[in-house]
Amino acid sequence: MPASPDPSTITVGVDGSDTGQAALRWAAEEAHVRGVPLRIVHCWSEPVVAAFPGMVTPLPEPEGFREAGEAVLTESEKLIAA
């Protein structure tokens, strides 16, 4: 059985877009008004790469996705700290 959402925490997903930043600002304000913690999350998945038989297709390095995701989270934290 999945865990129930924690009503004492506001969770927002960010992706670095303008819409994501608007959601972040709203969530930060809502957490402030309610006096609860704000949890900022970001996720990614490895892209699906299709290739023809005999074709060599380099796969992207997962570490690059991790670094990009961490950058999105860092920028999001800076945005609401300002």
Side-chain angles (χ1 to χ4, degrees):
M1 179 178 194
S4 299
D6 183 356
S8 64
T9 300
I10 301 290
T11 302
V12 61
V14 296
D15 60 4
S17 69
D18 291 343
T19 305
Q21 290 178 350
L24 174 63
R25 285 189 292 271
W26 178 88
E29 179 61 26
E30 190 68 17
H32 176 74
V33 167
R34 293 184 188 198
V36 297
L38 174 65
R39 177 181 295 133
I40 306 168
V41 298
H42 175 78
C43 67
W44 59 270
S45 62
E46 290 187 32
V48 176
V49 178
F52 296 103
M55 183 178 182
V56 176
T57 305
L59 295 175
E61 291 294 323
E63 192 58 34
F65 290 107
R66 178 184 306 278
E67 290 169 0
E70 288 173 354
V72 168
L73 290 172
T74 298
E75 289 303 313
S76 296
E77 290 171 349
K78 288 178 183 177
L79 179 69
I80 60 170

